[in-house]
Amino acid sequence: MPSRISSLPGFAEAAARSEARRWPVIVRATGGAPVPQFPDMLNLALAYRLDAEQPWSLDDGYRHLAQILIDALGQLDLKATIGEIADAFCPGRYDLSLGGRKIAGLAQRRRRAMDGGQAILAHACLLVGGDIAAPFIALAEFEDSFMPPRKWRIEAATTLSAHLTSDDAMADVIGAISDTLRHNDSPGYIAAAETKR
């Protein structure tokens, strides 16, 4: 959950009920909306620092991360596109989708350094495989208990493995992202890809 959600009335009670259903709630530092975490989701985080003289907008940060993912998925013959999928979970202008269904959400956190530079954390959650129904039902139960009426539908998302013929989609996706990061000329950064296996 983004931290702004934790200040809403009813959050603590909803979080306790979710934990009792074996879906603990974790508050994160980046923005966006709630996202379920499960074993076949891949989390990619890029952390980098920019000098004060280097212009780099919020949109630049999103486009940079989105392009890395588009290039990586292109290695797997997947043509991901950028744009909000309005009826998908955590909708945003930089959603990544395949065939009109969301496969990844992106978020950022930025801090200004004392010398005027910026420290940036940009991350993405990719739906790589597995049955996404259970995680998203858990998220819906959590949100519906205290948040404004939910507009997203599970069917507006899909997994990468649904579009791949591989026996190990996670390994293929991690390999493609790692290769893309090694050949990326954008701002210097430290990158980490992590699975919840």
Side-chain angles (χ1 to χ4, degrees), residues 34-53:
V35 177
Q37 295 288 309
F38 55 98
D40 289 305
M41 175 176 275
L42 176 68
N43 291 286
L44 172 70
L46 302 181
Y48 51 96
R49 187 183 186 289
L50 299 169
D51 294 331
E53 303 79 36

Side-chain angles (χ1 to χ4, degrees), residues 27-106:
V27 176
R28 67 175 191 260
T30 53
V35 177
Q37 295 288 309
F38 55 98
D40 289 305
M41 175 176 275
L42 176 68
N43 291 286
L44 172 70
L46 302 181
Y48 51 96
R49 187 183 186 289
L50 299 169
D51 294 331
E53 303 79 36
Q54 188 169 4
W56 193 254
S57 70
L58 194 64
D59 284 332
D60 288 331
Y62 278 116
R63 281 191 292 265
H64 174 236
L65 179 54
Q67 193 60 56
I68 287 170
L69 295 172
I70 287 170
D71 291 348
L73 295 176
Q75 293 184 35
L76 303 174
D77 295 323
L78 299 177
K79 297 191 185 318
T81 58
I82 300 172
E84 183 172 334
I85 306 298
D87 56 349
F89 71 98
C90 192
R93 288 184 299 135
Y94 289 95
D95 288 346
L96 289 186
S97 61
L98 289 173
R101 298 174 73 190
K102 185 166 180 172
I103 55 165
L106 282 62

Side-chain angles (χ1 to χ4, degrees), residues 130-155:
D131 178 7
I132 61 174
F136 282 98
I137 288 170
L139 176 59
E141 289 175 344
F142 171 80
E143 287 187 353
D144 291 348
S145 67
F146 77 104
M147 291 177 66
R150 176 172 48 87
K151 297 178 180 176
W152 60 265
R153 301 177 302 108
I154 296 171
E155 298 77 20

